[in-house]
Amino acid sequence: MLIFGTRGVTTTRSRGDFHCPQCGDTRNYLQKGVRKFVTLYFIPLFPMKTMGEYVECQACRGTYHPDVLNYDPQAAREQMRTHFCETLKQVMVQVLLADERVHDAEIETVRNLFRKVSGQELGEDELRAEIRSAEASPDRTLEELNRMAAMLGDDSKETIIKAALLVASSDGEIDANERELIQHVAGAIQMSPAHMRGVLAEMHDERETDPAHARQHGMMN
Ligand SMILES: [Zn+2]
């Protein structure tokens, strides 16, 4: 009597380098396919349908959906960076609006800080348009910060808070509304009170040791 059966047979379809999520770095992979074969006496005879494909990291042996090969860490970083600069701009605009008077000095500070962080120019028209859209939806920025919070490192959080404080103080003083807004921003990005105190102390020290900076920015009292 002939003994027929079926069996899954794994074959390598392709190989190359990819970004392994588990290793967090570039590694060799094998892309494998599993196909069902009809067997005769337990020996694969002819193939039936494909059962699935997966990618296996040759370092950690982690297995992934083939979509993992499309992930480009460099592009992802750039995307994150663009998103960060965009959100930082929105935070600064909210601070501009907090004291209900948009001063030229504040506009200048926003444009300088944006250039410093993003390496790009923020045109005055673009900034005015940003201000109008921010007025229309004041809560959008805090919601966005909240969504981003888990992805932000301590350095990024500090950049946001420092930028907010510099814009707030550029018209001479930080008023109560600006203070309150900055507290909300710190809350939204989940900055701890200790970290916030550290940032304030550091900015205070910078002012003490640099009189020109102090006059120019009139930092916190
Ligand atoms: Zn791996």
Side-chain angles (χ1 to χ4, degrees), residues 63-98:
T63 55
Y64 309 98
H65 188 277
D67 282 351
V68 77
L69 299 181
N70 299 327
Y71 177 75
D72 176 352
Q74 173 98 16
R77 266 196 300 276
E78 272 163 31
Q79 220 170 20
M80 177 67 195
R81 175 107 205 116
T82 305
H83 186 47
F84 175 76
C85 290
E86 195 53 38
T87 308
L88 180 71
K89 180 169 73 186
Q90 288 172 15
V91 170
M92 293 193 291
V93 167
Q94 289 298 335
V95 177
L96 277 184
L97 292 170

Side-chain angles (χ1 to χ4, degrees), residues 95-127:
V95 177
L96 277 184
L97 292 170
D99 61 1
E100 284 168 9
R101 294 173 316 250
V102 178
H103 298 263
D104 289 345
E106 290 177 324
I107 294 265
E108 260 324 288
T109 304
V110 170
R111 296 184 64 197
N112 285 337
L113 288 169
F114 188 80
R115 188 184 305 120
K116 222 166 118 182
V117 174
S118 74
Q120 283 170 357
E121 286 298 325
L122 175 57
E124 201 166 329
D125 290 346
E126 192 190 337
L127 183 52

Side-chain angles (χ1 to χ4, degrees), residues 18 20 22-23 27 57 59-62 64:
F18 83 131
C20 173
Q22 202 158 276
C23 296
R27 297 282 185 260
C57 171
C60 70
R61 300 286 161 187
Y64 309 98

Side-chain angles (χ1 to χ4, degrees), residues 3-4 14 18 25 44 51 54 68 73 93 97 121 123 126 138-139 169 172 176 195:
I3 302 177
F4 282 101
S14 68
F18 83 131
D25 210 344
M51 295 166 74
Y54 62 94
V68 77
V93 167
L97 292 170
E121 286 298 325
E126 192 190 337
D139 294 332
S169 61
H195 192 179

